[in-house]
């Protein structure tokens, strides 16, 4: 089954002004999504825009049920809650792909998938597109726990995917 990336709130640049276009992505359980999850996107967008970037979209990507976190609500319910939470946002959407996978997906896999969709479907060059992970302190802290992250994936060596933590 195909799960297309929502594009209805994407703000495609109309001219090349030299700015890098950024897509923000937050992965996690969103069990439930909170005001601070949404605020994290807004803070990241504000900081990036002040730094000369253009934020063109944001995506919440809830984990699959295979994540098996105690107390985790079923993916269908978390997706619905995330969609309701994003209704009032002018740029945050919900990517349902990860939540509908039968196995746990690493964050870098999600970021690369979104990057690939944008390169294929939006008139933006790979060089002027950055897909950035937005995360809270809990995810940031997990970077220091041995075995949780693959070291090469935390470094994002390809320079196409970047990390921003608020």
């Amino acid at each position: 089954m195909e799960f297309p990336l929502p594009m209805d709130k994407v703000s495609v640049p109309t001219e090349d002004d030299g700015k890098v276009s950024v897509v923000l992505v937050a992965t996690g359980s969103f069990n439930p999504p909170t005001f601070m999850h949404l605020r994290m996107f807004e803070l990241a967008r504000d900081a990036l825009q002040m730094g000369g970037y253009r934020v063109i979209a944001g995506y919440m990507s809830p984990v699959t049920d295979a994540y098996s976190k105690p107390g985790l609500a079923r993916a269908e319910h978390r997706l619905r809650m995330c969609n309701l939470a994003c209704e009032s946002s002018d740029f945050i959407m919900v990517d349902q792909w990860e939540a509908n996978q039968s196995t746990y997906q690493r964050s870098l896999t999600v970021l690369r998938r979104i990057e690939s969709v944008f390169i294929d479907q939006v008139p933006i060059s790979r060089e002027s597109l950055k897909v950035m992970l937005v995360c809270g302190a809990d995810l940031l802290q997990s970077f220091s726990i041995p075995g949780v992250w693959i070291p090469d994936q935390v470094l994002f060596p390809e320079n196409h995917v970047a990390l921003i933590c608020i």
Side-chain angles (χ1 to χ4, degrees), residues 28-33 63-78 81:
S29 59
F30 301 107
N31 191 43
V63 297
T64 176
D65 289 340
Y67 186 58
S68 299
K69 179 180 178 179
L72 186 66
R74 289 184 36 206
E76 65 184 280
H77 300 300
R78 292 180 289 111
M81 288 187 286

Side-chain angles (χ1 to χ4, degrees), residues 11-88:
S11 177
V12 180
T14 55
E15 61 184 60
D16 184 9
D17 57 5
K19 290 185 178 181
V20 173
S21 294
V22 174
V23 177
L24 299 173
V25 180
T27 59
S29 59
F30 301 107
N31 191 43
T34 67
F35 173 77
M36 284 311 297
H37 286 125
L38 300 175
R39 187 73 180 120
M40 185 172 59
F41 279 96
E42 294 167 355
L43 291 169
R45 178 176 65 174
D46 292 348
L48 287 163
Q49 286 175 339
M50 288 188 331
Y53 293 88
R54 175 192 308 109
V55 176
I56 61 172
Y59 291 97
M60 297 175 82
S61 180
V63 297
T64 176
D65 289 340
Y67 186 58
S68 299
K69 179 180 178 179
L72 186 66
R74 289 184 36 206
E76 65 184 280
H77 300 300
R78 292 180 289 111
L79 284 167
R80 178 74 177 128
M81 288 187 286
C82 287
N83 278 308
L84 288 169
C86 290
E87 280 183 351
S88 63

